[in-house]
Amino acid sequence: YLGVMPEFRGLGLAGTMLRRACRFARWRGLSSMTLAVDVANAPALGIYRKAGFQAIQRKVTFTMFEPVSP
């Protein structure tokens, strides 16, 4: 999971974290990475495309959260 708090967005932090994750994966001997992103998250899609990731499939997911009692 990768995320940047709103007050720190626009500083290039997500791209830096993604590059470090890719570098670490290569160091560990991995030849590929898979990620998931909401198609409505245009900023994230741009970061991933810039890093060389390509869309290979789309899935529909449904999530239900049960209310937590105080």
Side-chain angles (χ1 to χ4, degrees), residues 19-60:
R19 283 189 300 278
R20 287 186 180 197
C22 291
R23 203 167 38 241
F24 180 75
R26 281 192 299 273
W27 178 77
R28 295 284 302 188
L30 301 176
S31 60
S32 65
M33 291 179 71
T34 302
L35 61 85
V37 62
D38 189 315
V39 295
N41 190 342
L45 289 171
I47 291 165
Y48 299 137
R49 282 192 191 112
K50 187 175 179 181
F53 284 86
Q54 299 175 1
I56 58 169
Q57 105 186 67
R58 287 188 176 190
K59 293 183 179 183
V60 176

